[in-house]
């Protein structure tokens, strides 16, 4: 299975021996949480090498920035760059076991409503991967809008996030000059919210046009700029339904995610709108995508890894697993890939 390549510092291809060592260190550390020494690799029987030879390979990988050691006398663990290289070039996706497939299928085939199914499925995936899981529910129909917010992304891009009364999320990425800061974006959202609340998205578009035309002296100049930058609001708008996040407490089992990191991450889970940039990035292509460290497109979250994929008609739904950088990539990639396949079938997606 092909995974997307995320932005990273160019890294020369590793020779087969170094690649094997990096993969083994990543996978052993994922399983045990303990730094990996040369003796561990010698004992696994894969290498016809001495401990000294393996230590030399590990030292080379450390000089390349792919491994590090947390203490002077400890074994090695992958760096963020090491995990990124492993995920992009070395990981061999593991086919889910029969038991795991049956566990996922049993939820998909319950015949429950999509919201109920997604709530149960997110918990099931979290239990399997031992990580947090997020799933968005494809929007089925228009609901009155309840909230509006603008989120600054990279460069001149801003995402308008509109939450419907039922909890579904409408979002649209638009070009807004970078000099318009977060405070101004918040004021703009406050100014526009009364015009939107209680309307469907279609009705809101008409209301916005009318309000701006009738209240030129009252509507903030910046709002005019933003609405002009948004282009034609009648164009198709990406729609995600309610977002379900499950298993966030499972992340407490990973000691490398210290309290301040976990607090930041849990805040993101609570403020689900902050995850919309991740959802947008996932939907840019059909395949399963891997984000590691700073590649994760969520502000303030750079010590985790995310494996995610879009699903459904026009890729309007998203399934993702969020965990520490040492999560089990082999198993998680297989689980996300298989779940995507089942959800595509459920929603009638054939491509």
């Amino acid at each position: 299975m092909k995974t997307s390549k995320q932005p990273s510092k160019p890294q020369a291809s590793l020779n087969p021996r170094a690649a094997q060592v990096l993969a083994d260190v990543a996978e052993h550390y994922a399983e045990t949480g303990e730094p990996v020494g040369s003796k561990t690799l010698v004992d696994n029987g894969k290498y016809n090498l001495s401990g000294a030879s393996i230590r030399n390979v590990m030292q080379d990988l450390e000089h390349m920035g792919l491994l590090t050691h947390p203490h002077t006398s400890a074994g090695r663990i992958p760096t963020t760059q090491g995990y990124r290289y492993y995920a992009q070039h070395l990981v061999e996706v593991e086919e889910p076991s029969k038991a795991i497939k049956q566990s996922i299928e049993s939820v998909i085939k319950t015949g429950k409503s999509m919201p109920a199914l997604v709530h149960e499925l997110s918990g099931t995936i979290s239990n399997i991967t031992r990580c947090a899981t997020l799933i968005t529910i494809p929007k089925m129909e228009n609901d009155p809008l309840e909230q509006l917010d603008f989120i600054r992304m990279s460069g001149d891009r801003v995402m308008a996030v509109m939450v419907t009364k039922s909890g579904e999320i409408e979002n649209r990425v638009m070009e807004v000059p970078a000099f318009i800061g977060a405070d101004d974006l918040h004021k703009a959202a406050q100014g526009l919210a009364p015009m939107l609340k209680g309307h469907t998205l279609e009705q809101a578009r008409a209301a916005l046009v009318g309000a701006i035309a009738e209240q030129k002296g009252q509507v903030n100049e910046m709002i005019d700029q933003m609405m002009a930058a948004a282009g034609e609001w009648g164009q198709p708008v990406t729609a995600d339904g309610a977002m379900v996040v499950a298993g966030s407490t499972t992340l407490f089992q990973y000691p490398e995610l210290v309290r301040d990191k976990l607090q930041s991450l849990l805040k993101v889970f609570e403020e689900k709108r902050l995850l919309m940039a991740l959802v947008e990035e996932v939907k840019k292509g059909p395949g399963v995508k891997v984000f590691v460290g700073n590649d994760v497109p969520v502000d303030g979250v750079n010590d985790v890894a995310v494996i995610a994929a879009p699903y459904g008609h026009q890729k309007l739904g998203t399934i993702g697993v969020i965990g520490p950088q040492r999560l089990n990539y082999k198993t998680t990639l297989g689980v996300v890939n298989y779940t995507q396949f089942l959800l595509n079938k459920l929603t009638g997606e054939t491509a």
Side-chain angles (χ1 to χ4, degrees):
M1 178 184 63
K2 185 177 181 181
T3 60
S4 67
K5 295 182 179 181
Q6 308 307 323
S8 62
K9 182 180 178 180
Q11 176 67 49
S13 297
L14 299 178
N15 63 54
R17 180 181 297 174
Q20 184 66 62
V21 169
L22 176 59
D24 286 344
V25 170
E27 291 165 14
H28 190 276
Y29 185 53
E31 182 179 350
T32 67
E34 296 293 332
V36 183
S38 58
K39 185 177 185 302
T40 299
L41 299 187
V42 170
D43 291 346
N44 72 16
K46 289 183 180 180
Y47 302 89
N48 187 23
L49 296 171
S50 67
S53 296
I54 291 181
R55 281 194 296 275
N56 288 335
V57 176
M58 296 173 86
Q59 288 173 359
D60 290 341
L61 289 169
E62 189 166 0
H63 291 153
M64 298 170 69
L66 300 176
L67 292 182
T68 187
H69 56 278
H71 306 291
T72 303
S73 60
R76 268 71 169 185
I77 64 175
T79 62
T80 296
Q81 187 177 347
Y83 279 120
R84 188 177 293 125
Y85 187 94
Y86 167 73
Q88 292 176 2
H89 304 292
L90 305 179
V91 66
E92 296 179 1
V93 181
E94 185 175 86
E95 182 77 10
S97 67
K98 183 177 180 181
I100 288 177
K101 286 184 175 180
Q102 288 177 339
S103 179
I104 299 171
E105 290 170 0
S106 66
V107 178
I108 299 289
K109 295 178 179 179
T110 57
K112 294 181 178 179
S113 67
M114 198 64 177
L117 184 153
V118 164
H119 275 83
E120 184 175 348
L121 182 61
S122 59
T124 298
I125 300 301
S126 178
N127 289 336
I128 291 170
T129 61
R130 298 185 299 167
C131 294
T133 299
L134 76 86
I135 306 179
T136 62
I137 307 169
K139 180 177 169 55
M140 300 301 176
E141 60 185 0
N142 284 330
D143 287 320
L145 296 170
E146 188 73 17
Q147 299 177 32
L148 170 69
D149 201 357
F150 293 114
I151 300 175
R152 169 66 67 185
M153 301 175 70
S154 60
D156 288 344
R157 297 195 308 159
V158 164
M159 181 183 296
V161 180
M162 292 162 279
V163 183
T164 68
K165 191 171 183 179
S166 67
E168 294 184 347
I169 300 171
E170 298 277 359
N171 66 81
R172 181 182 180 85
V173 177
M174 55 191 182
E175 298 288 329
V176 176
F179 65 80
I180 296 178
D183 288 343
D184 288 331
L185 289 173
H186 181 65
K187 291 176 182 177
Q190 289 182 319
L192 292 171
M195 307 176 203
L196 297 176
K197 191 170 183 178
H199 294 83
T200 65
L201 181 63
E202 194 67 33
Q203 294 167 340
R205 284 194 278 264
L208 285 168
V209 172
I212 290 174
E214 294 172 6
Q215 304 175 33
K216 288 182 180 180
Q218 300 176 35
V219 177
N220 187 287
E221 180 181 352
M222 187 196 63
I223 294 179
D224 281 320
Q225 294 177 17
M226 295 185 70
M227 297 311 301
E232 294 294 331
W233 277 70
Q235 295 176 1
V237 176
T238 304
D240 282 277
M243 181 185 295
V244 177
V245 178
S248 58
T249 57
T250 63
L251 299 179
F252 284 98
Q253 68 184 293
Y254 300 103
E256 65 267 35
L257 293 177
V258 294
R259 181 176 297 275
D260 59 336
K261 296 178 182 178
L262 276 173
Q263 287 177 339
S264 297
L265 189 56
L266 294 178
K267 181 179 179 181
V268 168
F269 290 157
E270 291 172 3
E271 294 286 335
K272 295 176 183 176
R273 63 186 180 81
L274 300 177
L275 291 167
M276 290 311 300
L278 171 62
V279 171
E280 280 298 306
E281 194 67 29
V282 171
K283 293 189 296 187
K284 287 182 178 179
V288 178
K289 298 171 181 64
V290 180
F291 306 91
V292 182
N294 290 333
D295 294 343
V296 178
V298 179
D299 287 342
V301 177
N302 55 17
D303 294 296
V304 300
V306 178
I307 296 177
Y311 74 89
H313 182 58
Q314 295 181 342
K315 298 185 283 296
L316 291 186
T318 300
I319 173 172
V321 172
I322 304 173
Q325 292 184 16
R326 69 173 171 98
L327 61 75
N328 190 322
Y329 291 83
K330 295 168 66 174
T331 298
T332 306
L333 281 164
V335 167
V336 171
N337 187 52
Y338 187 67
T339 306
Q340 178 198 39
F341 167 74
L342 293 179
L343 288 172
N344 280 342
K345 289 181 63 177
L346 179 67
T347 56
E349 179 73 13
T350 57

